[in-house]
Amino acid sequence: MNNIALGRYLPLNSLVNRMDPRAKIMIMLFLMIAIFIPAGIWGYVLIGLFILIALKLSKLSLSFALRSIKPMIFMMAFLLLINIFVIKTGTPWIQWGWFSVYSDAIYQTLYIVVRLMMMIIITTILTATTKPLDLTLGIEKLLHPFEKIGLPAHIIAMMISIALRFIPTLIEETQRIMNAQASRGVDLENGSMKEKVMAILALIVPLFVSAFDRADQLANAMEARGYDPQKPRTRYKVLKMTGIDYAGMLLSFLILVSCIYINVRGIS
């Protein structure tokens, strides 16, 4: 469990841990939007500096944040392979018979990988510094104005919080099932295509059974405690913004505006 970063809360006494969850969610949204704006290298430099400062203030190590990217390495490698065979523009870097690798394929892959890494690290900082219940309350408070048009803010916030909470649990369960299947002689790496498909099924089926079992246990526990999402609720903890929260939101919003400006002016 210690090797799992994404979705795992760390009770550290840091400045970011003490921030209002609404402010951290808004900061994440501003940065996510900024990441998708094609602002060139300067835009990524601004966002990268903000992420490094956030890691420092939250007392999280860079290695902890990078561990959250580990499950995505296979997808990144697969993306690189697809781009190499699909994108045939730019300068040819490698030519070997019919096989060739062009510069645009590498640049496009790096462009997507950098954006994906930033998004994962930002999400990791949010979940590592915010308790699941505080995250639920923050999302609910931000969505509260939309209840006037019939949006079930509390239910949506609860679903998002539960999904984030069970990410490390499911990853740990997957690793446990893989170890159990390997001890029974199941080979997930070698063999024919049919054998690999059967090996994957041997992993997916018990994982789904375990996930549904955990969901059933959670539903029974909430029902036993009289939880009803439709009833009006009171809160013991009242959220309150501070100067640090407003400063963080302002800085992230300025980064978003800067990325938009760089994109409009075509600064490279």
Side-chain angles (χ1 to χ4, degrees):
M1 185 69 177
N2 294 332
N3 293 326
I4 300 172
L6 184 61
R8 177 187 171 202
Y9 171 69
L10 298 178
L12 301 175
N13 184 22
S14 68
L15 180 64
V16 181
N17 281 66
R18 295 191 295 270
M19 289 179 64
D20 192 290
R22 295 171 296 178
K24 287 185 278 190
I25 294 171
M26 291 303 301
I27 291 172
M28 183 193 71
L29 290 177
F30 288 146
L31 293 178
M32 290 292 188
I33 297 173
I35 288 173
F36 280 97
I37 296 174
I41 187 172
W42 291 112
Y44 290 133
V45 167
L46 289 174
I47 300 172
L49 288 175
F50 186 93
I51 291 175
L52 291 177
I53 294 174
L55 286 172
K56 182 67 175 180
L57 294 178
S58 59
K59 296 182 180 180
L60 298 174
S61 64
L62 184 59
S63 59
F64 174 83
L66 292 177
R67 281 207 304 270
S68 62
I69 306 173
K70 187 177 179 180
M72 309 299 295
I73 292 178
F74 174 78
M75 190 189 74
M76 295 175 183
F78 181 74
L79 176 64
L80 174 61
L81 185 64
I82 293 297
N83 284 341
I84 287 176
F85 283 100
V86 172
I87 300 177
K88 298 296 181 181
T89 58
T91 305
W93 284 2
I94 299 176
Q95 285 186 323
W96 185 32
W98 62 270
F99 179 75
S100 59
V101 178
Y102 288 80
S103 59
D104 286 354
I106 305 299
Y107 292 147
Q108 183 69 17
T109 303
L110 289 176
Y111 179 66
I112 297 175
V113 167
V114 169
R115 289 197 301 180
L116 185 61
M117 289 176 59
M118 286 183 172
M119 288 189 292
I120 294 175
I121 292 176
I122 291 171
T123 306
T124 301
I125 295 174
L126 174 66
T127 56
T129 60
T130 312
K131 297 179 181 178
L133 291 178
D134 290 344
L135 188 61
T136 303
L137 182 56
I139 297 174
E140 182 180 352
K141 290 295 184 181
L142 290 175
L143 295 178
H144 182 70
F146 297 99
E147 288 186 341
K148 296 180 180 179
I149 60 176
L151 184 72
H154 174 72
I155 296 177
I156 294 176
M158 179 62 68
M159 289 190 300
I160 295 175
S161 175
I162 292 174
L164 291 174
R165 165 62 184 83
F166 275 92
I167 287 176
T169 304
L170 291 177
I171 294 176
E172 182 186 19
E173 188 71 20
T174 302
Q175 188 63 48
R176 185 183 296 113
I177 294 173
M178 290 178 63
N179 293 336
Q181 298 290 7
S183 66
R184 293 178 174 88
V186 177
D187 191 353
L188 297 173
E189 297 181 358
N190 303 317
S192 63
M193 180 61 66
K194 181 180 179 180
E195 292 174 343
K196 289 183 178 180
V197 171
M198 296 303 296
I200 293 175
L201 289 177
L203 173 65
I204 292 178
V205 172
L207 180 61
F208 268 85
V209 172
S210 175
F212 283 124
D213 183 59
R214 289 181 181 275
D216 187 58
Q217 292 178 12
L218 177 61
N220 292 335
M222 295 174 71
E223 185 177 355
R225 288 167 174 79
Y227 174 77
D228 187 352
Q230 306 296 336
K231 296 292 180 65
R233 305 178 62 82
T234 58
R235 296 288 182 182
Y236 172 76
K237 183 176 181 179
V238 180
L239 299 180
K240 185 178 179 181
M241 291 277 201
T242 63
I244 297 297
D245 300 315
Y246 290 113
M249 287 191 295
L250 177 60
L251 182 57
S252 61
F253 181 74
L254 290 177
I255 291 176
L256 172 59
V257 173
S258 299
C259 290
I260 296 174
Y261 177 80
I262 292 173
N263 176 257
V264 172
R265 297 300 298 266
I267 302 174
S268 59

